[in-house]
Amino acid sequence: MKTRATALNPHNRFQPIVTDREADHDWYHDPEDDLNPDTLATEVVLETAKSIISRNTSPDVPFDQSINPYRGCEHACIYCFARPTHAYWDMSPGLDFETRLIAKPNAAARLREELDRPGYRVSPIALGVNTDAYQPLERDQRITRQVLEVLAEYRHPVSIITKGALILRDLDLLREMASDGLCSVRISLTSLSNDLKRRMEPRTAAPATRLKMIRQLSEAGIPTGIILGPVIPFINDHEIEAILEAAAEAGATRASWIMLRLPHELDELFQDWLQRHFPQRAEHVMNRMRDLRGGKSYDATFGRRMTGTGPYSDLIRQRFTKKARRLGLNLHAEEPLRGDLFRRPGGEQIPLW
């Protein structure tokens, strides 16, 4: 059974020197190494975080604050836009991203410190944006749970994006926060096919399990939607209507989509994956990707990077919007969350935003 998405460890773009061994990207297939990426153990390094809330001003992202309890992700989604960030830590965005993880055990303590600062202004925190906060590592580390406990104590709004079934462990906290308008959840749902899921997202929850997550979260009173991301030409784009129908039937109330993005090393990793799993479609997929991105594999321009441009992008938008509206799914990016309930443990209320 394949449990890793890639065997490649492409060169870290920040390293000034490349050795011959590093230049051989497929070195895990070298018989002298006797290493199988599917049996390679996951390594975890503990990091003492100096701060925990990340801030952004991107106009096409529906939040300005986020928390990532982990760096790297064992879910091993081949398309993950966060893979290139692993290069910042002197590791490869390839197999290293899936197997060499960084955890932040002091995340809850740092969060408490930041929320206690006199100048802090309340704005919803997005949890698990860069890498999944409910990846398998969370079962033992429980860092996400600790962060949620602090947010619940401070009555701070939070939105969660995940494809990890472990979120159901925290239904008690999420139900309590949602009852006060402090919490919403988005489940990443990219395919209803178990076979495609195994190839594309080898260590994630099965499609049926994700629908069960939507159902249980919704039944608990937690506003739950889906993100169909990424849409990949000729790979999962034919499933758009079926995914929306299944999500709505399970209780989802909102839906959004994102086109495949291939920044930096992700371009090489994804094209290698295509050649291994869909060799007859690979050229068609990449030609369509270049059509979407002005002749390049990727365009990072705000306003275009999430959807691409041109007739194909317009068609996906029309199909998605038409079906979502028929199903009564809200197309706004995020559920409105309350910030006026924020209280520090001593009872102090602070201004919003």
Side-chain angles (χ1 to χ4, degrees), residues 55-228:
R55 292 176 173 84
N56 77 83
T57 57
S58 303
D60 52 3
V61 175
F63 57 85
D64 56 16
Q65 299 196 125
S66 62
I67 291 177
N68 292 289
Y70 306 102
R71 305 189 197 277
C73 188
E74 200 172 7
H75 276 159
C77 304
I78 188 58
Y79 55 72
C80 183
F81 70 90
R83 282 182 177 271
T85 64
H86 229 46
Y88 290 110
W89 317 114
D90 199 27
M91 290 183 280
S92 172
L95 191 57
D96 283 352
F97 180 81
E98 306 174 20
T99 62
R100 300 176 65 188
L101 311 181
I102 300 172
K104 307 173 186 178
N106 68 329
R110 283 287 179 262
L111 175 60
R112 191 180 296 275
E113 292 173 4
E114 295 188 38
L115 297 182
D116 282 340
R117 289 176 181 168
Y120 182 77
R121 293 294 180 270
V122 179
S123 179
I125 288 175
L127 183 59
V129 175
N130 206 44
T131 56
D132 202 314
Y134 284 105
Q135 62 178 284
L137 182 60
E138 166 64 15
R139 190 175 303 279
D140 295 324
Q141 297 288 329
R142 298 180 65 85
I143 299 173
T144 299
R145 172 79 186 193
Q146 294 164 19
V147 166
L148 281 176
E149 288 171 344
V150 172
L151 293 172
E153 180 182 357
Y154 281 70
R155 298 172 70 76
H156 193 292
V158 61
S159 62
I160 300 171
I161 302 172
T162 186
K163 52 173 68 76
L166 191 56
I167 191 174
L168 297 178
R169 178 201 63 188
D170 294 338
L171 271 179
D172 57 333
L173 286 172
L174 301 177
R175 182 187 294 111
E176 176 187 351
M177 296 181 75
S179 68
D180 290 325
L182 295 173
C183 175
S184 67
V185 174
R186 288 294 188 106
I187 302 300
S188 174
L189 188 59
T190 51
S191 177
L192 300 178
S193 164
N194 287 322
D195 178 63
L196 180 57
K197 196 287 303 184
R198 281 192 294 267
R199 299 177 189 222
M200 190 165 62
E201 311 162 339
R203 294 199 175 198
T204 61
T209 300
R210 290 187 224 181
L211 294 173
K212 175 183 175 183
M213 291 157 55
I214 295 171
R215 184 170 292 107
Q216 292 193 17
L217 289 163
S218 299
E219 289 174 351
I222 300 157
T224 305
I226 68 160
I227 296 179
L228 202 175

Side-chain angles (χ1 to χ4, degrees), residues 12 39 41 63 167 195 241 253 290-291 351:
N12 179 336
T39 59
F63 57 85
I167 191 174
D195 178 63
E241 289 80 5
T253 57
R290 295 182 187 102
D291 288 342

